[in-house]
Amino acid sequence: MDCDKCGNPAVMHAAYSGLHLCEKHFCRSVEKRVRRRIREDALLSPDATPDDPETWVVGLSGGKDSVVLTHILHETFAKDPRVELLALTIHEGIEGYRDESVDACLDLVEALDLRHELVTYEEEFGLRMDDVAESDPLGMAPCAYCGVFRRDVLSRYATEFDADKLLTGHNLDDEAQTALMNVLEGDVAQVAKHFDASLGSFEERAEVEELVPRAKPLRDVPEKEVALYAHLKDLPAHITECPHASEAYRGEIQRLLLDLEENHPGTRHSIMAGYEELAGIAAERYRRGDGPEMRECERCGGATTRSLCRKCQLVEAVDAA
């Protein structure tokens, strides 16, 4: 098939739009969607100036999503004095797998001449995910531990680096899965939290003083298109599934969405369009209520609604195992 824009050979067909695109127009389309999301979410504050720029910390794992996001952000803002980018990589202690993805991170930041920081679970918590997955003191999937640890490290270091925004590489599939899981679980409070945490525009969110605001500029781009972009741009992405990946429920949702998308192209986009609007309504309602009061964790001093934050509870359980 030929590209609908220029007539050159197409490298992909987007069933949800009907478009066939060549390499040039496909890559331009991905970049355009990321930049449009940045504008629509008002990611760059009007108060940012060359003398007082914003610091954006990018969670860079070395996987395709974070590598593509970092690449496009650099292409967009490298010459913009209002934005300073900092890539943050976390080594969870997964032998082989994470070592290779860290190498991908190092190749990328060297090519982009980007400031880069590397931290490890072993330094932060005195543990490695290989050991946690083996001992599993609470009978949970490894992802349940790792997700809590990762969010904690990202948030703490974003604060330490005095970041104005924390950016992650969640794609359209990731966000549609989360949306559907929240709806199927009937978790309206989580839907509202999702809006203020990362889904809504910065002009519409309620500010959470204890946390660096998050954003997901890649969330309009399907996963397969992210992978294709990384391939066509020859980016140093480590495209291999984590050996401990075992989120059974999310896996079911992922398969369901892929089937729906194949039979009804555009399903993921439709889910997110409706979900974002409903999340905004839920957020307004829950902001008026008396939610749990944030306080300091007795162990680490982090923000929590309990005496011990979830991260410290998990570290305590692992240490006791």
Side-chain angles (χ1 to χ4, degrees):
M1 297 295 291
D2 294 331
C3 175
D4 293 325
K5 300 287 186 180
C6 66
N8 286 327
V11 298
M12 65 86 66
H13 172 236
Y16 57 84
S17 67
L19 285 175
H20 296 82
L21 297 175
C22 66
E23 179 176 341
K24 181 181 80 171
H25 285 103
F26 165 72
C27 291
R28 187 177 296 175
S29 168
V30 172
E31 294 158 0
K32 181 179 179 180
R33 278 173 279 172
V34 172
R35 290 165 183 155
R36 181 179 62 205
R37 174 54 58 193
I38 290 172
R39 291 193 305 272
E40 290 183 354
D41 283 356
L43 191 55
L44 181 57
S45 169
D47 297 328
T49 67
D51 294 327
D52 186 21
E54 286 202 326
T55 298
W56 292 359
V57 169
V58 186
L60 177 61
S61 68
K64 64 185 186 310
D65 300 311
S66 64
V67 165
V68 167
L69 174 61
T70 303
H71 169 81
I72 294 176
L73 288 172
H74 181 266
E75 289 284 302
T76 306
F77 293 105
K79 296 181 180 180
D80 191 330
R82 298 171 300 169
V83 176
E84 294 180 351
L85 296 175
L86 187 160
L88 175 60
T89 298
I90 301 171
H91 195 309
E92 306 93 338
I94 304 173
E95 188 174 354
Y97 168 78
R98 186 52 74 203
D99 298 320
E100 293 180 15
S101 63
V102 167
D103 288 342
C105 294
L106 294 175
D107 289 342
L108 181 69
V109 296
E110 182 178 357
L112 301 181
D113 191 23
L114 194 64
R115 180 183 171 189
H116 181 234
E117 300 288 342
L118 173 65
V119 297
T120 71
Y121 282 3
E122 192 163 20
E123 293 171 345
E124 296 299 314
F125 311 124
L127 55 81
R128 296 171 56 84
M129 275 308 303
D130 283 340
D131 298 328
V132 174
E134 183 176 352
S135 62
D136 188 14
L138 297 180
M140 305 191 306
C143 297
Y145 297 95
C146 193
V148 173
F149 297 151
R150 173 176 290 277
R151 285 189 293 272
D152 175 80
V153 172
L154 285 172
S155 294
R156 282 193 295 109
Y157 273 86
T159 300
E160 180 176 319
F161 296 136
D162 198 23
D164 296 282
K165 307 288 189 326
L166 172 59
L167 281 59
T168 58
H170 292 77
N171 58 51
L172 176 63
D173 295 61
D174 296 325
E175 290 296 278
Q177 291 162 22
T178 297
L180 194 53
M181 288 168 69
N182 287 342
V183 170
L184 293 178
E185 291 171 355
D187 196 343
V188 181
Q190 185 60 35
V191 171
K193 183 179 178 181
H194 191 185
F195 184 87
D196 282 336
S198 63
L199 195 61
S201 162
F202 280 89
E203 295 174 341
E204 300 174 308
R205 296 187 201 177
E207 185 176 347
V208 182
E209 294 184 3
E210 298 87 353
L211 302 174
V212 174
R214 296 191 176 213
K216 301 171 181 177
L218 207 60
R219 66 185 177 90
D220 296 316
V221 185
E223 181 175 18
K224 287 185 177 180
E225 293 184 26
V226 176
L228 178 58
Y229 182 95
H231 171 71
L232 294 174
K233 289 289 184 177
D234 196 25
L235 297 177
H238 179 233
I239 306 178
T240 304
E241 186 176 51
C242 173
H244 301 311
S246 59
E247 289 188 276
Y249 185 43
R250 181 175 286 272
E252 288 184 46
I253 296 297
Q254 179 186 40
R255 291 188 292 274
L256 172 62
L257 278 175
L258 289 175
D259 288 343
L260 287 170
E261 185 69 32
E262 184 175 354
N263 295 325
H264 309 281
T267 294
R268 293 166 298 186
H269 292 85
S270 298
I271 287 174
M272 289 311 302
Y275 178 81
E276 185 171 341
E277 183 175 351
L278 291 172
I281 295 171
E284 287 183 8
R285 174 187 169 187
Y286 275 79
R287 288 179 202 141
R288 295 195 298 265
D290 295 325
E293 183 179 351
M294 298 296 288
R295 60 196 208 185
E296 288 189 359
C297 171
E298 294 177 357
R299 180 169 176 174
C300 71
T304 183
T305 58
R306 295 163 288 196
S307 58
L308 280 184
C309 68
R310 183 59 172 161
K311 176 259 300 183
C312 285
Q313 291 177 10
L314 295 183
V315 171
E316 198 172 78
V318 171
D319 290 343

